[in-house]
Amino acid sequence: MTARCDLRRFTISADITSYSDAWQTQSEPQAAARARGSESGAWVPSQTGAALLTALVAATGARAVVEVGTGAGVSGLAIFGGMNDDGILTTIDADGNHQSAAKAALSAAGIDPGRARLITGVPSEVLPRLTDGAYDAVVINDLAPEPGLYLEQALRLLRAGGVVVFAGALGEGSRASDPAQRDPQAVALRELGDAAKANEELVTALLPLDDGLLVAVKKGTES
């Protein structure tokens, strides 16, 4: 009986997720970027995940956002969808092909090139060079190889009231949600979630989207 109930919940959840994705509004540049990302193997957020990202960025009144994992530009377009008209996105990816694809996506959407700072480099080397407390939102699309590092950097970079979003916080196939999975990445992702939840500076939520979407708001008000 329990197994049947669990299966029913899973089926309903899958149906709801499909409906939610179909319900979201997606522009032609977003759809084209999503297709390019799927073809190239770049990480692409779900339509629901992208819409939530837009809403979160809008809620902060963001004028400065940092993104790790540029991909094909789908999440970048979602970020710009929520940013103020004078907002600037700094997006970091070690793969130059990803940066080229994202640049094309932003251009197709009519985003002023001056508002997008695309950096090709290793995120763990680039992030420490960014200014403390200067960002309204930090979006981490690629948590490899050190998830904990990104939490540390996000806390440093965010202003009070800013939001950090970790996509894939449970790993591929949500492996980290299974305590039996003890591989280093699954363990590191569980530690990331535990550390964020325990941090008194943060208000957190873990959502069942995009292999685990961990959202955290930095407490306090701007001085």
Side-chain angles (χ1 to χ4, degrees):
M1 182 66 179
T2 301
R4 285 197 296 272
C5 288
D6 286 345
L7 178 60
R8 176 175 169 77
R9 282 197 297 269
F10 175 81
T11 302
I12 292 172
S13 178
D15 289 345
I16 291 172
T17 300
S18 296
Y19 178 84
S20 177
D21 282 344
W23 184 88
Q24 310 301 333
T25 300
Q26 181 174 227
S27 67
E28 289 185 12
Q30 284 176 316
R34 186 177 296 279
R36 283 194 297 270
S38 297
E39 290 169 3
S40 67
W43 181 83
V44 176
S46 66
Q47 288 177 230
T48 302
L52 177 61
L53 181 57
T54 298
L56 289 170
V57 169
T60 69
R63 287 187 168 84
V65 178
V66 176
E67 176 187 45
V68 171
T70 306
V74 179
S75 59
L77 290 172
I79 291 166
F80 275 114
M83 268 205 295
N84 286 330
D85 291 342
D86 59 349
I88 294 175
L89 170 65
T90 299
T91 180
I92 307 161
D93 201 301
D95 190 326
N97 291 327
H98 288 174
Q99 297 283 33
S100 296
K103 186 175 182 180
L106 297 178
S107 177
I111 303 297
D112 183 342
R115 297 182 62 203
R117 183 185 178 200
L118 286 80
I119 301 175
T120 302
V122 179
S124 61
E125 297 175 0
V126 176
L127 288 175
R129 301 202 295 265
L130 302 182
T131 304
D132 292 8
Y135 297 91
D136 305 298
V138 175
V139 179
I140 309 295
N141 297 321
D142 184 358
L143 284 162
E146 301 177 67
L149 169 69
Y150 295 113
L151 175 59
E152 175 186 328
Q153 287 298 317
L155 284 167
R156 182 183 66 80
L157 294 170
L158 282 175
R159 65 163 174 81
V163 62
V164 57
V165 180
F166 299 98
L170 294 175
E172 186 175 357
S174 299
R175 287 176 57 81
S177 65
D178 180 1
Q181 302 298 330
R182 302 296 301 171
D183 60 276
Q185 188 68 1
V187 171
L189 289 172
R190 282 196 290 270
E191 290 175 347
L192 166 67
D194 291 344
K197 185 178 179 180
N199 192 304
E200 295 184 355
E201 288 188 79
L202 298 174
V203 177
T204 56
L206 180 60
L207 308 175
L209 298 170
D210 298 340
D211 288 327
L213 203 63
L214 176 59
V215 178
V217 177
K218 188 175 182 180
K219 292 180 183 178
T221 57
E222 293 182 272
S223 58

